[in-house]
Amino acid sequence: FTPEEEIAKFKGITPQGWTVLVRLYTKPKKSANGLYIPDIVHDEQQYKNCTGLVVAKSKGAYQDPRYKETGHWCEVGDWVIFPRHAGYKIQYNGIPVFVLPEDAINVVTDFPEMVLR
């Protein structure tokens, strides 16, 4: 999927406070060799991963003066890595997402598929 397509799917949900909404990265259902990965394996993987696409930020995210020197840690459209137990997991329209505190983002990456857990 493209980041733009995914971000558009989340126009109806607005994080509040100092939070970031992250759509979990899920591996394709088909392997590079053309083999299909069973749904049960695919479903289990989605919540084990700690990598995702930032699809929304609250108005308060990164507005605290402590971010004056560092700036925003991430922007909508960034692929990020975060601790597995940060925030909480939900499904929005059947899509797995995390609602994370702004300071839970640890890394921004250009290659989410290369991050292994």
Side-chain angles (χ1 to χ4, degrees), residues 63-78:
Q63 298 304 311
D64 191 273
R66 67 184 171 152
Y67 297 108
K68 186 176 181 179
E69 288 185 28
T70 62
H72 295 201
W73 291 4
C74 65
E75 298 294 340
V76 171
D78 285 346

Side-chain angles (χ1 to χ4, degrees), residues 6 13 15 17 30 36 41 47 65 76 79 82 93 109-111 113 116:
E6 287 305 305
I13 187 169
K30 194 174 183 183
Y36 283 95
V41 173
Y47 285 121
V76 171
W79 289 102
F82 54 92
N93 201 20
T109 180
D110 291 334
F111 306 103
E113 67 280 359
L116 300 175

